[in-house]
Amino acid sequence: EDQVTQSPEALRLQEGESSSLNCSYTVSGLRGLFWYRQDPGKGPEFLFTLYSAGEEKEKERLKATLTKKESFLHITAPKPEDSATYLCAVRGNRLAFGKGNQVVVIP
Amino acid sequence: EAQVTQNPRYLITVTGKKLTVTCSQNMNHEYMSWYRQDPGLGLRQIYYSMNVEVTDKGDVPEGYKVSRKEKRNFPLILESPSPNQTSLYFCASSVGVGETQYFGPGTRLLVL
């Protein structure tokens, strides 16, 4: 069964304090790993898609990496506007979402 | 502007009163899907559609129906809503299966 586990569940960061979010997965034949950002009460907003181990993608202060068992979302020098819940999803035989990493960046 | 729209955005209803939540996309996407999001459980797929007239069950289909008569629309139907269907619902679309999904703004449903 395809499964996704995200850690930590919640994270409080000082502005400028870099950190990483983890997404561990088990899937039968990875067909894509997706990162989304979700603000309270809003729909998930697409960030990145990764397809193979070793792949990396960047957007502003965010960088996503992928290995055969996990993905990391690195947040470099975060700002308060980076506060959100970050969702990881994997596509194997089905699309499975993790429960999210809730990030709060304190000014 | 490319987008997925849902209506209504907020809905309060009573047990047993049939309701429909509409979903429409203007990106000519083949694949559409409905999710519900509950605290501590994350996003769970209710139903999906790979093309017009092709729909299939997701992980939590009980109590829901869908139809896909047109490519752009994918309504979610609750024939007899119950309180355990109180949730935040999202519609999503993508070019195809396994491709990046784009989500609507959500519909918050309260069933009394």
Short mmCIF file of all heavy atoms in Angstrom, two decimals, chain A residues 31-32 34 36 38 41-46 48-49 51 87 91 94-99, chain B residues 9 31 35 37 40-43 59 88 90 97-106 108:
data_model
loop_
_atom_site.label_atom_id
_atom_site.label_comp_id
_atom_site.label_asym_id
_atom_site.label_seq_id
_atom_site.Cartn_x
_atom_site.Cartn_y
_atom_site.Cartn_z
N ARG A 31 5.78 7.19 -9.57
CA ARG A 31 5.50 7.87 -10.83
C ARG A 31 5.52 9.38 -10.66
O ARG A 31 5.19 10.11 -11.59
CB ARG A 31 4.14 7.40 -11.36
CG ARG A 31 4.15 5.93 -11.77
CD ARG A 31 2.77 5.36 -11.91
NE ARG A 31 2.00 6.06 -12.94
CZ ARG A 31 0.72 5.81 -13.19
NH1 ARG A 31 0.07 4.90 -12.49
NH2 ARG A 31 0.07 6.46 -14.13
N GLY A 32 5.88 9.83 -9.46
CA GLY A 32 5.99 11.27 -9.22
C GLY A 32 5.81 11.58 -7.75
O GLY A 32 5.03 10.91 -7.06
N PHE A 34 5.08 15.00 -5.28
CA PHE A 34 4.60 16.36 -5.42
C PHE A 34 4.67 17.07 -4.07
O PHE A 34 4.36 16.50 -3.04
CB PHE A 34 3.15 16.37 -5.90
CG PHE A 34 2.91 15.56 -7.14
CD1 PHE A 34 2.61 14.21 -7.06
CD2 PHE A 34 2.99 16.13 -8.40
CE1 PHE A 34 2.39 13.45 -8.20
CE2 PHE A 34 2.78 15.39 -9.55
CZ PHE A 34 2.48 14.04 -9.45
N TYR A 36 3.15 20.57 -2.20
CA TYR A 36 2.18 21.64 -2.27
C TYR A 36 2.31 22.51 -1.03
O TYR A 36 2.70 22.04 0.04
CB TYR A 36 0.75 21.09 -2.31
CG TYR A 36 0.36 20.41 -3.60
CD1 TYR A 36 0.63 19.06 -3.81
CD2 TYR A 36 -0.32 21.11 -4.59
CE1 TYR A 36 0.26 18.44 -5.00
CE2 TYR A 36 -0.71 20.49 -5.78
CZ TYR A 36 -0.42 19.16 -5.97
OH TYR A 36 -0.80 18.55 -7.13
N GLN A 38 -0.16 24.90 1.44
CA GLN A 38 -1.57 25.18 1.72
C GLN A 38 -1.68 26.21 2.83
O GLN A 38 -1.16 26.00 3.93
CB GLN A 38 -2.33 23.91 2.10
CG GLN A 38 -3.83 24.14 2.26
CD GLN A 38 -4.61 22.87 2.53
OE1 GLN A 38 -4.08 21.88 3.02
NE2 GLN A 38 -5.89 22.88 2.18
N GLY A 41 -7.64 27.35 5.15
CA GLY A 41 -8.91 27.55 4.48
C GLY A 41 -8.81 27.67 2.97
O GLY A 41 -9.80 27.97 2.30
N LYS A 42 -7.63 27.42 2.40
CA LYS A 42 -7.45 27.56 0.95
C LYS A 42 -7.03 26.24 0.33
O LYS A 42 -6.64 25.30 1.02
CB LYS A 42 -6.42 28.64 0.64
CG LYS A 42 -6.86 30.02 1.07
CD LYS A 42 -5.92 31.08 0.53
CE LYS A 42 -6.43 32.47 0.87
NZ LYS A 42 -5.54 33.53 0.32
N GLY A 43 -7.13 26.17 -1.00
CA GLY A 43 -6.72 24.96 -1.69
C GLY A 43 -5.21 24.85 -1.77
O GLY A 43 -4.50 25.85 -1.79
N PRO A 44 -4.70 23.61 -1.83
CA PRO A 44 -3.25 23.43 -1.98
C PRO A 44 -2.75 24.09 -3.27
O PRO A 44 -3.40 24.02 -4.31
CB PRO A 44 -3.11 21.90 -2.05
CG PRO A 44 -4.30 21.38 -1.32
CD PRO A 44 -5.39 22.34 -1.65
N GLU A 45 -1.58 24.70 -3.15
CA GLU A 45 -0.95 25.38 -4.29
C GLU A 45 0.29 24.61 -4.68
O GLU A 45 1.17 24.34 -3.86
CB GLU A 45 -0.59 26.81 -3.88
CG GLU A 45 0.15 27.61 -4.92
CD GLU A 45 0.62 28.95 -4.38
OE1 GLU A 45 0.04 29.41 -3.37
OE2 GLU A 45 1.56 29.53 -4.95
N PHE A 46 0.38 24.25 -5.94
CA PHE A 46 1.48 23.43 -6.42
C PHE A 46 2.83 24.13 -6.28
O PHE A 46 2.97 25.32 -6.59
CB PHE A 46 1.25 23.08 -7.89
CG PHE A 46 2.43 22.44 -8.56
CD1 PHE A 46 2.80 21.15 -8.24
CD2 PHE A 46 3.17 23.13 -9.50
CE1 PHE A 46 3.90 20.56 -8.85
CE2 PHE A 46 4.26 22.55 -10.11
CZ PHE A 46 4.63 21.26 -9.79
N PHE A 48 6.29 21.82 -6.46
CA PHE A 48 7.27 21.05 -7.22
C PHE A 48 6.74 19.66 -7.56
O PHE A 48 5.94 19.10 -6.83
CB PHE A 48 8.56 20.83 -6.41
CG PHE A 48 9.21 22.07 -5.90
CD1 PHE A 48 9.18 22.36 -4.54
CD2 PHE A 48 9.87 22.93 -6.75
CE1 PHE A 48 9.80 23.50 -4.05
CE2 PHE A 48 10.49 24.07 -6.28
CZ PHE A 48 10.45 24.36 -4.92
N THR A 49 7.29 19.12 -8.66
CA THR A 49 7.14 17.70 -8.97
C THR A 49 8.54 17.12 -9.18
O THR A 49 9.37 17.71 -9.88
CB THR A 49 6.34 17.47 -10.26
OG1 THR A 49 5.08 18.13 -10.16
CG2 THR A 49 6.10 15.98 -10.47
N TYR A 51 10.59 13.35 -10.08
CA TYR A 51 10.29 12.05 -10.67
C TYR A 51 11.32 10.97 -10.38
O TYR A 51 10.99 9.78 -10.39
CB TYR A 51 10.13 12.19 -12.19
CG TYR A 51 8.89 12.93 -12.60
CD1 TYR A 51 8.96 14.24 -13.05
CD2 TYR A 51 7.65 12.32 -12.55
CE1 TYR A 51 7.82 14.93 -13.42
CE2 TYR A 51 6.50 12.99 -12.93
CZ TYR A 51 6.60 14.30 -13.36
OH TYR A 51 5.46 14.97 -13.74
N LEU A 87 2.39 20.13 2.01
CA LEU A 87 1.88 18.79 1.77
C LEU A 87 2.76 18.06 0.77
O LEU A 87 3.18 18.63 -0.24
CB LEU A 87 0.46 18.84 1.21
CG LEU A 87 -0.60 19.53 2.06
CD1 LEU A 87 -1.93 19.59 1.30
CD2 LEU A 87 -0.80 18.79 3.37
N ARG A 91 2.71 9.50 -6.21
CA ARG A 91 1.89 8.77 -7.17
C ARG A 91 2.57 7.43 -7.45
O ARG A 91 3.67 7.40 -7.98
CB ARG A 91 1.74 9.58 -8.44
CG ARG A 91 1.26 8.78 -9.64
CD ARG A 91 -0.19 8.37 -9.51
NE ARG A 91 -1.08 9.51 -9.60
CZ ARG A 91 -2.41 9.40 -9.53
NH1 ARG A 91 -2.97 8.22 -9.37
NH2 ARG A 91 -3.16 10.47 -9.63
N ARG A 94 -1.71 4.71 -6.92
CA ARG A 94 -2.69 5.72 -6.57
C ARG A 94 -1.95 6.95 -6.07
O ARG A 94 -0.74 6.91 -5.91
CB ARG A 94 -3.63 5.19 -5.48
CG ARG A 94 -2.93 4.66 -4.26
CD ARG A 94 -3.90 4.05 -3.26
NE ARG A 94 -4.49 5.06 -2.40
CZ ARG A 94 -3.92 5.52 -1.29
NH1 ARG A 94 -2.75 5.08 -0.91
NH2 ARG A 94 -4.52 6.44 -0.56
N LEU A 95 -2.67 8.02 -5.84
CA LEU A 95 -2.06 9.23 -5.31
C LEU A 95 -2.33 9.25 -3.81
O LEU A 95 -3.48 9.21 -3.39
CB LEU A 95 -2.66 10.47 -5.97
CG LEU A 95 -2.08 11.81 -5.54
CD1 LEU A 95 -0.62 11.91 -5.95
CD2 LEU A 95 -2.87 12.95 -6.14
N ALA A 96 -1.26 9.30 -3.03
CA ALA A 96 -1.40 9.31 -1.57
C ALA A 96 -0.77 10.58 -1.01
O ALA A 96 0.37 10.91 -1.35
CB ALA A 96 -0.72 8.08 -0.96
N PHE A 97 -1.51 11.26 -0.13
CA PHE A 97 -1.03 12.48 0.49
C PHE A 97 -0.57 12.20 1.91
O PHE A 97 -1.15 11.37 2.62
CB PHE A 97 -2.15 13.53 0.56
CG PHE A 97 -2.36 14.30 -0.70
CD1 PHE A 97 -3.16 13.80 -1.72
CD2 PHE A 97 -1.73 15.52 -0.88
CE1 PHE A 97 -3.34 14.51 -2.89
CE2 PHE A 97 -1.91 16.25 -2.06
CZ PHE A 97 -2.72 15.75 -3.05
N GLY A 98 0.46 12.93 2.34
CA GLY A 98 0.82 12.95 3.74
C GLY A 98 -0.06 13.92 4.49
O GLY A 98 -0.89 14.63 3.89
N LYS A 99 0.10 13.97 5.82
CA LYS A 99 -0.76 14.84 6.62
C LYS A 99 -0.24 16.27 6.71
O LYS A 99 -0.93 17.14 7.23
CB LYS A 99 -0.93 14.24 8.02
CG LYS A 99 -1.67 12.91 8.00
CD LYS A 99 -1.82 12.31 9.38
CE LYS A 99 -2.53 10.96 9.28
NZ LYS A 99 -2.67 10.31 10.61
N ARG B 9 -18.95 27.94 -1.77
CA ARG B 9 -17.74 27.90 -0.96
C ARG B 9 -18.04 27.48 0.48
O ARG B 9 -17.20 26.88 1.14
CB ARG B 9 -17.09 29.29 -0.95
CG ARG B 9 -16.58 29.74 -2.32
CD ARG B 9 -15.35 28.94 -2.76
NE ARG B 9 -14.38 28.77 -1.70
CZ ARG B 9 -13.52 29.70 -1.34
NH1 ARG B 9 -13.49 30.87 -1.97
NH2 ARG B 9 -12.67 29.49 -0.35
N TYR B 31 -8.21 14.82 -16.44
CA TYR B 31 -8.36 14.16 -15.14
C TYR B 31 -8.91 15.14 -14.12
O TYR B 31 -8.42 16.27 -13.99
CB TYR B 31 -6.99 13.65 -14.68
CG TYR B 31 -6.98 12.85 -13.40
CD1 TYR B 31 -7.12 11.46 -13.42
CD2 TYR B 31 -6.80 13.47 -12.17
CE1 TYR B 31 -7.08 10.72 -12.25
CE2 TYR B 31 -6.78 12.73 -11.00
CZ TYR B 31 -6.92 11.36 -11.05
OH TYR B 31 -6.89 10.63 -9.89
N TYR B 35 -11.59 15.52 -3.28
CA TYR B 35 -10.96 15.14 -2.02
C TYR B 35 -11.75 15.74 -0.86
O TYR B 35 -12.41 16.76 -1.00
CB TYR B 35 -9.54 15.71 -1.92
CG TYR B 35 -8.57 15.16 -2.94
CD1 TYR B 35 -8.44 15.75 -4.20
CD2 TYR B 35 -7.77 14.07 -2.64
CE1 TYR B 35 -7.55 15.24 -5.13
CE2 TYR B 35 -6.87 13.56 -3.56
CZ TYR B 35 -6.77 14.16 -4.80
OH TYR B 35 -5.89 13.66 -5.71
N GLN B 37 -10.85 16.89 3.24
CA GLN B 37 -9.72 17.13 4.15
C GLN B 37 -10.26 17.30 5.55
O GLN B 37 -11.09 18.18 5.81
CB GLN B 37 -8.93 18.37 3.73
CG GLN B 37 -7.65 18.56 4.51
CD GLN B 37 -6.84 19.72 3.98
OE1 GLN B 37 -7.38 20.76 3.60
NE2 GLN B 37 -5.52 19.56 3.93
N GLY B 40 -6.13 15.97 11.11
CA GLY B 40 -5.45 14.74 11.52
C GLY B 40 -5.49 13.62 10.51
O GLY B 40 -4.82 12.60 10.68
N LEU B 41 -6.28 13.79 9.43
CA LEU B 41 -6.41 12.72 8.43
C LEU B 41 -5.85 13.11 7.08
O LEU B 41 -5.67 12.27 6.21
CB LEU B 41 -7.88 12.32 8.27
CG LEU B 41 -8.54 11.71 9.50
CD1 LEU B 41 -10.00 11.40 9.21
CD2 LEU B 41 -7.81 10.43 9.93
N GLY B 42 -5.61 14.38 6.88
CA GLY B 42 -5.06 14.81 5.60
C GLY B 42 -6.07 14.76 4.47
O GLY B 42 -7.28 14.63 4.69
N LEU B 43 -5.58 14.85 3.26
CA LEU B 43 -6.42 14.80 2.07
C LEU B 43 -6.70 13.35 1.69
O LEU B 43 -5.77 12.56 1.54
CB LEU B 43 -5.72 15.49 0.90
CG LEU B 43 -5.83 17.00 0.81
CD1 LEU B 43 -4.78 17.54 -0.14
CD2 LEU B 43 -7.22 17.39 0.34
N ASP B 59 -10.50 6.57 -2.25
CA ASP B 59 -10.32 5.88 -0.97
C ASP B 59 -11.54 5.92 -0.07
O ASP B 59 -11.75 5.02 0.74
CB ASP B 59 -9.13 6.48 -0.22
CG ASP B 59 -7.85 6.33 -1.00
OD1 ASP B 59 -7.63 5.23 -1.55
OD2 ASP B 59 -7.06 7.29 -1.06
N LEU B 88 -14.01 19.72 4.74
CA LEU B 88 -13.57 20.67 3.73
C LEU B 88 -13.31 19.88 2.46
O LEU B 88 -12.50 18.94 2.47
CB LEU B 88 -12.31 21.38 4.21
CG LEU B 88 -11.67 22.43 3.30
CD1 LEU B 88 -12.67 23.53 2.95
CD2 LEU B 88 -10.43 23.02 3.96
N PHE B 90 -12.28 19.56 -1.65
CA PHE B 90 -11.51 20.16 -2.73
C PHE B 90 -11.70 19.39 -4.02
O PHE B 90 -11.66 18.16 -4.03
CB PHE B 90 -10.01 20.18 -2.40
CG PHE B 90 -9.65 21.14 -1.30
CD1 PHE B 90 -9.37 20.66 -0.03
CD2 PHE B 90 -9.57 22.50 -1.54
CE1 PHE B 90 -9.02 21.53 0.99
CE2 PHE B 90 -9.22 23.37 -0.53
CZ PHE B 90 -8.95 22.88 0.74
N VAL B 97 -3.48 11.40 -15.56
CA VAL B 97 -3.16 10.68 -14.33
C VAL B 97 -1.67 10.82 -14.06
O VAL B 97 -0.85 10.67 -14.96
CB VAL B 97 -3.52 9.20 -14.49
CG1 VAL B 97 -3.09 8.42 -13.25
CG2 VAL B 97 -5.00 9.04 -14.73
N GLY B 98 -1.33 11.11 -12.80
CA GLY B 98 0.06 11.20 -12.42
C GLY B 98 0.69 12.55 -12.69
O GLY B 98 1.83 12.80 -12.30
N GLU B 99 -0.05 13.43 -13.34
CA GLU B 99 0.46 14.77 -13.60
C GLU B 99 0.11 15.70 -12.43
O GLU B 99 -0.70 15.36 -11.57
CB GLU B 99 -0.12 15.33 -14.90
CG GLU B 99 0.16 14.49 -16.13
CD GLU B 99 1.63 14.43 -16.45
OE1 GLU B 99 2.34 15.42 -16.18
OE2 GLU B 99 2.09 13.38 -16.96
N THR B 100 0.70 16.87 -12.42
CA THR B 100 0.46 17.84 -11.36
C THR B 100 -1.02 18.22 -11.31
O THR B 100 -1.62 18.56 -12.33
CB THR B 100 1.29 19.10 -11.60
OG1 THR B 100 2.66 18.72 -11.63
CG2 THR B 100 1.05 20.11 -10.50
N GLN B 101 -1.58 18.14 -10.09
CA GLN B 101 -2.99 18.51 -9.93
C GLN B 101 -3.09 19.95 -9.45
O GLN B 101 -2.31 20.42 -8.64
CB GLN B 101 -3.65 17.59 -8.91
CG GLN B 101 -3.80 16.16 -9.42
CD GLN B 101 -4.74 15.35 -8.56
OE1 GLN B 101 -5.91 15.68 -8.39
NE2 GLN B 101 -4.25 14.26 -8.02
N TYR B 102 -4.11 20.64 -9.97
CA TYR B 102 -4.40 22.01 -9.57
C TYR B 102 -5.74 22.00 -8.83
O TYR B 102 -6.72 21.45 -9.32
CB TYR B 102 -4.43 22.91 -10.80
CG TYR B 102 -3.08 22.98 -11.46
CD1 TYR B 102 -2.72 22.07 -12.46
CD2 TYR B 102 -2.14 23.91 -11.05
CE1 TYR B 102 -1.47 22.10 -13.03
CE2 TYR B 102 -0.87 23.95 -11.63
CZ TYR B 102 -0.54 23.04 -12.61
OH TYR B 102 0.71 23.06 -13.17
N PHE B 103 -5.71 22.62 -7.65
CA PHE B 103 -6.85 22.54 -6.74
C PHE B 103 -7.74 23.77 -6.80
O PHE B 103 -7.28 24.89 -7.03
CB PHE B 103 -6.35 22.35 -5.30
CG PHE B 103 -5.83 20.97 -5.02
CD1 PHE B 103 -4.56 20.59 -5.41
CD2 PHE B 103 -6.62 20.05 -4.36
CE1 PHE B 103 -4.08 19.32 -5.16
CE2 PHE B 103 -6.16 18.77 -4.10
CZ PHE B 103 -4.89 18.41 -4.50
N GLY B 104 -9.02 23.54 -6.53
CA GLY B 104 -9.95 24.63 -6.34
C GLY B 104 -9.82 25.24 -4.96
O GLY B 104 -9.02 24.77 -4.14
N PRO B 105 -10.61 26.26 -4.66
CA PRO B 105 -10.48 26.99 -3.39
C PRO B 105 -11.10 26.29 -2.20
O PRO B 105 -10.87 26.68 -1.06
CB PRO B 105 -11.21 28.30 -3.68
CG PRO B 105 -12.23 27.94 -4.70
CD PRO B 105 -11.57 26.89 -5.57
N GLY B 106 -11.88 25.25 -2.44
CA GLY B 106 -12.47 24.49 -1.35
C GLY B 106 -13.91 24.86 -1.06
O GLY B 106 -14.36 25.98 -1.32
N ARG B 108 -16.49 24.39 2.23
CA ARG B 108 -16.62 23.96 3.64
C ARG B 108 -18.07 23.59 3.88
O ARG B 108 -18.96 24.43 3.75
CB ARG B 108 -16.16 25.07 4.58
CG ARG B 108 -16.05 24.59 6.02
CD ARG B 108 -15.37 25.62 6.90
NE ARG B 108 -13.96 25.79 6.61
CZ ARG B 108 -12.98 25.01 7.04
NH1 ARG B 108 -13.27 23.94 7.78
NH2 ARG B 108 -11.72 25.28 6.75
#
